[in-house]
Amino acid sequence: MKKAFAVARWEYMEKIRSKIFLVGLLLTPTIMIAMGLLPGIFAQREQQTPRFIGLIDQTGQFVIPISDRLQSFYVLDNGQPAYFILPLAVGGGIDLEKEMADANRRIAEDRLIGYCVIPSSVLVDSVVHYRTSVVGDFRIPARVEEAIQQVIALRRAELMGISPSVMERLDVRLKVATIKVSSEGEEGRSSFEKVFFSAYVFLMMLFFLIATSGQLLVRSVIAEKSNRIIEILVSSCSPTELMAGKVIGLSALGLTQVGFWVVMGVVASTQFGMELIDAGDALLMTVYFILGYLLYSAIFIAAGSPLTTEQEAQQVTSYLVLILVVPIMLAIPAMQSPDALWLRVLTYVPPLTPTMMALRIPIQTPPAWEIGLTILLLLFTIYGAMVTAGRIFRIAILSTGKTPGFKEILQWARLG
Amino acid sequence: MLSVADLKKSFNHTTAVEGITFTVRRGEIFGLLGPNGAGKTTTIRMVLDILRPDGGRIHFDGLPFSPATRDRVGYLPEERGLYRKGKVLETVLYFAELRGMSRSLARVEAQRWLAKFGLLEASGRRLEELSKGNQQKVQFIVAVIHDPDLIILDEPFSGLDPVNQIIFKDAVQEMKRREKAIIFCTHMMDHAERLSDSLCLLDRGKIVLEGTVRGVKKAYGRNSLHIEYEGDGRFLDLLPGVQRIIRYENAAELELTPGARPGDLIARINEGVEIRKVELLEPSLHSIFMRLVGNGEPVIVPVHGGLR
C-alpha cells in the first residue's frame, strides 16, 4: 500500500502542476457561472415594445374577444400591452389567398410578427393557422392559441345555449386556470432555481471532473506505455498497486478541484443571494459524487488502458464523455417530473445512479431505503468494475503495438 | 543469486522462450546475448515479474519471487524513457520509493548518484531539458539507486557516446566489485566480450551456447586471423581457406577452414592490402555468434575503428 501512495503522490503532484488542470480549475466555474447568469440576462432582455399580430377572421366573431384577452393578459413592464391584434380581413366574403399574400408581405416588411387565420370552420374542427417569420419563438403562438381556445370555448358554450351568468362563471374559472399556471411558475421560481442550480452544478462538476481526470488518467497510461516507463513501474510494484495509486492520486486531484469550486460556489451564491441546498442534502450528494467518480474511474481505466495512441485515447474518452452527457440532457425533464417512473428506473442503472440521485435529492429527498439501496448498488458495481478494470489494466499496460480488439479485451476481463 | 530453470513462454502460439536454464552468481557479469527476437527481453521480463512464465522456475537466493525480492532488483530497460516533464531529483526519488526506499534515504542516495554523474546542478530541471546522455544517466540512477542485489541492464550502451560508455562501464564494474549480480543483455558482442564473465547465447528462444567467456572462446580454438590493414579489403570476402569473415572498415576477422595455413593466407592478403597488424587468435564472440546464428554469408560491419 505504501507504493500505491507513492504512485498517488506522484500522479497528484505531476498533474496539479499541469496546464490542463489549471485551465479546468478556472475555466469550469467560469462556464458554470456564465450558465447560471445567462438565463437572468435573457430574462432582462425581454420584449420592450408591443408586437403586432395580424388576424384574418372568416367567422368575423373573434377579433375583439381575442384582442381583449391578449391585451389584458400580457402586459409589458412599462404598462403597454405586449400584443396588439391587427384585424387584416374579417368576414366570410374575403379573398383568403389575396389577404394572406398581403399579410405575408407585411411580415416581410417587419410590420407584423405573425398572423393568425381563423377559418369559418373553426367552430367545427378547431383548426387555425399561425404564420410567422420567427418560428423559434414558441411563446407567441402558444399565447395566441390559448386566447383563441378560450374564446372558442366561450363561443361554443354560448351556442349551446348556456346562460350568460354561467358563461361568466365559466370564463372566470378559465381565467383563473390560466393564471394558476403562470403563478405557480412564479411561486416555484426560487425552489426551481435551487433545484436547478444544485443539481446542475453537481452534474457539471461531476462531468468536468470525470472528463478531465479521466482523460489525464488515460493519457498518463498511454504515455507510460509508449515510452516503456510502465516496465519499470510494474517491475517495481504490482499492477494493482499501480492502478490503486493512480485512482487515489487522481481522486485526490479531483477533490482538490471540487473543493476549490465549492468554495468559489459558496462565495458566489452568497454574493448573488442564491439559495443553497441544506447541509444534509449536500452531504448526501457528496457521497454520490465520490461514488460516481470512482465508478467512472474504473470505466476509464478499463476502456483507456488497452489503447496505444493519443488519437485513440481522444476518441474513446470523448465517447465516454458522451455517456456522461446523458444525465445532463435528462436533467430538465427530470426536474419537471421528479416522481416519474422512468426517473426511478434510471436511478437503478449504475452509471446513471449518482447523477439521477443528484437530480432527485434537491427536488425531494428520496426515501431512506432508496438511498441505502442505491449506495449499496453503487458499491457493488464499483467493486466489480474495479476488479474488471484491474484485470484489463494488468494485461493492457504491457501490450503495445496494435490496439487489441473488443473480444480480446473481454477475454482479459474474464480471465484476468 | 538468480537461478532460472526451464523457463517457457509463448504468445499466441509463437514460442518466445523455450526451456531456458541459467544461473547468475554474485560478483558476476552475466551476458545474456542473442540477435533481436531471440527471447532476451521476454526472459528478462519474466525475471522481473512483468510477464508470467508459462512454465519453469525463477529463484532469488533460493526464494521464489515475492514483493520483497522485487525490491532487490534493478532494471534498465532497453527503450529508455522517463517522465519528460518530471524534474530530475523528484523522478529519481519517485522510483526509489517504488523500490521500497524511504524518502529520506532515497534523497541521500539520489544526491550521491547525481553528484557522481555530474548532475547535481540539474536536479531541479525537467528531464526533457537534459541531453540524451544525461537522461540515460538519470535512467541508470533509477535502476541502481536502491542498491539492488540483481541488476538487469538491457542494452545499456546503446546511444551512448564513448565518454559516457566509459562512465557506465566503470559504474557496472563497481557494482561487480560490490558483489552484485549483473545481467547484461545485448546483441553487441564486442561489448559483451569485454564486460561479461559468463554468458548465454540465445537464438529463437533456446540457449545455443553457454559458459564463461574464456571457456567458450577456448572451445573454438585459435583459428581466427585478426588483421588490421589499409586499402580496399573487399577481395577478402572471396579468399579461399576462409569459412567466415567479419569485415570492419579497416580490419577483419577471418575464420580459417580446418587445414588452411595462416601463413599462405597472410601472404595473399598482403598482396591486396597493406597489413598493419595481424594476429592469430581465438575467434571473437561476434564471430562465434555469427557462426551459430548467422547464415554463413560474409558479414560487413560498418563501424569505425578496429576490432579491439
Side-chain angles (χ1 to χ4, degrees):
Chain A
M1 218 43 210
K2 204 179 140 233
K3 289 182 180 181
F5 281 114
V7 175
R9 171 153 79 175
W10 175 263
E11 292 287 332
Y12 183 84
M13 292 312 289
E14 283 300 293
K15 303 295 181 307
I16 206 159
R17 285 185 290 208
S18 71
K19 284 193 190 83
I20 179 170
F21 178 79
L22 268 179
V23 169
L25 192 67
L26 300 173
L27 202 63
T28 311
T30 315
I31 293 171
M32 278 191 316
I33 288 170
M35 281 176 145
L37 293 182
L38 279 180
I41 293 167
F42 281 124
Q44 277 164 15
R45 286 191 54 213
E46 187 125 12
Q47 170 189 357
Q48 296 298 325
T49 51
R51 297 255 163 85
F52 290 90
I53 299 168
L55 191 65
I56 298 174
D57 180 7
Q58 287 184 305
T59 65
Q61 301 170 18
F62 290 113
V63 176
I64 290 168
I66 288 174
S67 82
D68 273 359
R69 200 166 273 272
L70 275 177
Q71 283 173 19
S72 59
F73 275 11
Y74 306 106
V75 178
L76 295 178
D77 291 342
N78 56 18
Q80 283 183 286
Y83 309 104
F84 280 122
I85 292 297
L86 209 65
L88 299 176
V90 180
I94 57 170
D95 178 353
L96 193 60
E97 300 235 331
K98 185 188 147 288
E99 296 299 340
M100 276 169 65
D102 200 43
N104 286 346
R105 206 192 62 238
R106 282 172 193 251
I107 287 178
E109 285 168 5
D110 240 358
R111 284 153 61 195
L112 288 180
I113 188 86
Y115 67 94
C116 191
V117 179
I118 303 176
S120 42
S121 59
V122 71
L123 287 175
V124 185
D125 62 10
S126 309
V127 174
V128 301
H129 302 274
Y130 180 73
R131 278 158 222 259
T132 179
S133 58
V134 244
V135 188
D137 191 348
F138 49 85
R139 224 163 26 171
I140 298 174
R143 286 174 175 181
V144 171
E145 178 190 324
E146 200 176 276
I148 296 173
Q149 219 164 19
Q150 303 302 341
V151 173
I152 291 174
L154 281 174
R155 189 55 42 92
R156 279 188 185 160
E158 204 177 41
L159 289 173
M160 284 172 201
I162 294 164
S163 76
S165 64
V166 175
M167 254 168 56
E168 199 142 301
R169 276 170 60 195
L170 254 174
D171 191 28
V172 167
R173 255 170 58 198
L174 284 164
K175 223 172 162 178
V176 168
T178 321
I179 291 165
K180 199 180 160 200
V181 173
S182 71
S183 83
E184 193 175 75
E186 281 293 322
E187 276 173 11
R189 216 184 125 84
S190 76
S191 85
F192 175 78
E193 207 164 65
K194 177 172 126 184
V195 169
F196 181 82
F197 224 72
S198 47
Y200 218 73
V201 162
F202 177 91
L203 279 178
M204 292 313 265
M205 284 205 294
L206 193 61
F207 174 79
F208 277 102
L209 195 63
I210 291 170
T212 50
S213 62
Q215 267 159 1
L216 283 175
L217 182 79
V218 172
R219 284 177 58 182
S220 86
V221 171
I222 287 174
E224 283 165 0
K225 275 169 76 169
S226 67
N227 60 19
R228 312 306 279 151
I229 296 178
I230 202 80
E231 289 198 359
I232 308 181
L233 291 174
V234 292
S235 68
S236 313
C237 62
S238 71
T240 316
E241 285 171 317
L242 183 61
M243 191 177 100
K246 280 181 183 293
V247 171
I248 296 169
L250 289 170
S251 307
L253 189 76
L255 288 178
T256 309
Q257 204 165 6
V258 169
F260 180 78
W261 293 344
V262 164
V263 170
M264 275 186 75
V266 169
V267 170
S269 49
T270 32
Q271 208 72 20
F272 293 116
M274 267 180 297
E275 228 178 312
L276 285 175
I277 54 166
D278 62 76
D281 281 358
L283 192 71
L284 209 51
M285 282 169 85
T286 311
V287 170
Y288 283 107
F289 191 96
I290 293 169
L291 293 176
Y293 182 76
L294 288 175
L295 179 58
Y296 276 96
S297 300
I299 294 175
F300 266 89
I301 291 170
S305 53
L307 307 177
T308 44
T309 63
E310 281 270 333
Q311 285 93 323
E312 286 173 337
Q314 259 162 18
Q315 277 176 13
V316 171
T317 47
S318 52
Y319 285 131
L320 289 179
V321 166
L322 273 185
I323 302 178
L324 278 166
V325 174
V326 173
I328 295 181
M329 294 190 314
L330 296 176
I332 306 248
M335 281 180 238
Q336 283 162 351
S337 48
D339 289 327
L341 182 67
W342 63 267
L343 193 58
R344 283 162 175 259
V345 171
L346 286 182
T347 309
Y348 292 91
V349 180
L352 299 177
T353 306
T355 37
M356 286 300 144
M357 285 305 271
L359 285 176
R360 292 175 57 187
I361 288 167
I363 302 170
Q364 186 180 46
T365 309
W369 69 266
E370 276 207 73
I371 291 170
L373 193 62
T374 47
I375 289 178
L376 216 59
L377 175 74
L378 275 176
L379 287 176
F380 274 115
T381 316
I382 290 167
Y383 177 77
M386 283 285 175
V387 168
T388 311
R391 285 177 178 173
I392 294 174
F393 184 76
R394 213 173 316 163
I395 304 173
I397 48 178
L398 291 169
S399 75
T400 48
K402 204 176 131 283
T403 297
F406 189 63
K407 246 169 97 181
E408 212 172 325
I409 296 173
L410 272 185
Q411 204 177 358
W412 296 351
R414 266 210 313 276
L415 303 173
Chain B
M1 165 70 219
L2 174 75
S3 73
V4 169
D6 202 23
L7 208 57
K8 289 188 182 110
K9 180 78 192 176
S10 45
F11 302 100
N12 302 329
H13 314 297
T14 46
T15 309
V17 172
E18 216 176 329
I20 288 180
T21 302
F22 63 85
T23 314
V24 186
R25 283 170 211 78
R26 287 176 186 276
E28 176 183 68
I29 301 179
F30 180 84
L32 189 60
L33 315 177
N36 294 328
K40 297 184 304 261
T41 304
T42 306
T43 305
I44 286 178
R45 285 183 182 167
M46 286 189 280
V47 170
L48 287 163
D49 193 42
I50 296 174
L51 286 177
R52 217 174 285 168
D54 296 339
R57 286 183 315 278
I58 300 167
H59 284 249
F60 293 83
D61 285 338
L63 298 168
F65 186 88
S66 72
T69 56
R70 201 199 286 274
D71 291 344
R72 293 171 55 196
V73 181
Y75 177 39
L76 179 74
E78 179 182 1
E79 284 172 75
R80 307 297 146 70
L82 291 170
Y83 299 99
R84 289 194 307 115
K85 303 262 177 213
K87 303 236 169 93
V88 172
L89 181 63
E90 284 170 20
T91 305
V92 173
L93 290 181
Y94 173 48
F95 284 103
E97 265 187 294
L98 282 184
R99 290 289 188 186
M101 276 182 112
S102 74
R103 208 166 168 83
S104 49
L105 181 60
R107 195 172 284 276
V108 175
E109 283 297 296
Q111 261 153 9
R112 190 173 71 81
W113 275 101
L114 288 172
K116 185 185 167 90
F117 282 159
L119 285 172
L120 213 48
E121 276 100 86
S123 311
R125 283 165 61 191
R126 288 176 193 277
L127 240 95
E128 59 185 358
E129 297 166 19
L130 264 53
S131 71
K132 215 177 154 208
N134 282 344
Q135 289 186 15
Q136 295 224 39
K137 286 181 189 167
V138 175
Q139 185 118 33
F140 187 85
I141 295 174
V142 163
V144 298
I145 183 159
H146 55 297
D147 199 25
D149 295 322
L150 173 68
I151 301 152
I152 299 177
L153 308 169
D154 198 349
E155 299 290 357
F157 303 115
S158 72
L160 280 183
D161 63 46
V163 178
N164 281 322
Q165 284 195 13
I166 291 171
I167 294 175
F168 271 44
K169 266 175 204 160
D170 287 348
V172 173
Q173 294 289 5
E174 195 201 314
M175 302 278 181
K176 181 184 161 180
R177 277 196 297 279
R178 295 184 49 229
E179 290 293 299
K180 307 293 181 190
I182 298 151
I183 295 181
F184 172 38
C185 198
T186 187
H187 62 267
M188 304 288 286
M189 295 302 143
D190 50 335
H191 281 146
E193 184 165 354
R194 271 171 283 169
L195 263 178
S196 318
D197 300 305
S198 56
L199 63 89
C200 140
L201 178 60
L202 297 184
D203 187 38
R204 276 164 243 155
K206 286 186 190 145
I207 295 180
V208 290
L209 182 70
E210 60 187 323
T212 61
V213 173
R214 201 161 301 190
V216 164
K217 289 177 73 169
K218 219 171 213 165
Y220 281 83
R222 287 175 177 259
N223 69 340
S224 279
L225 211 50
H226 295 235
I227 56 168
E228 285 179 27
Y229 58 85
E230 254 169 52
D232 187 352
R234 271 179 293 185
F235 77 101
L236 294 173
D237 299 348
L238 305 167
L239 277 182
V242 176
Q243 58 175 323
R244 192 178 316 271
I245 171 167
I246 299 171
R247 188 153 57 75
Y248 302 86
E249 210 155 270
N250 282 309
E253 180 182 342
L254 298 98
E255 192 189 308
L256 308 188
T257 45
R261 297 208 337 221
D264 296 351
L265 211 57
I266 293 168
R268 297 195 61 170
I269 295 166
N270 206 23
E271 287 164 21
V273 292
E274 191 182 324
I275 297 181
R276 301 179 72 196
K277 185 177 167 191
V278 59
E279 279 178 294
L280 188 62
L281 292 169
E282 292 150 349
S284 67
L285 270 187
H286 196 143
S287 163
I288 296 172
F289 172 72
M290 292 316 300
R291 188 185 307 184
L292 288 169
V293 301
N295 48 12
E297 296 290 306
V299 181
I300 291 97
V301 184
V303 291
H304 299 283
L307 268 178
R308 286 191 178 235

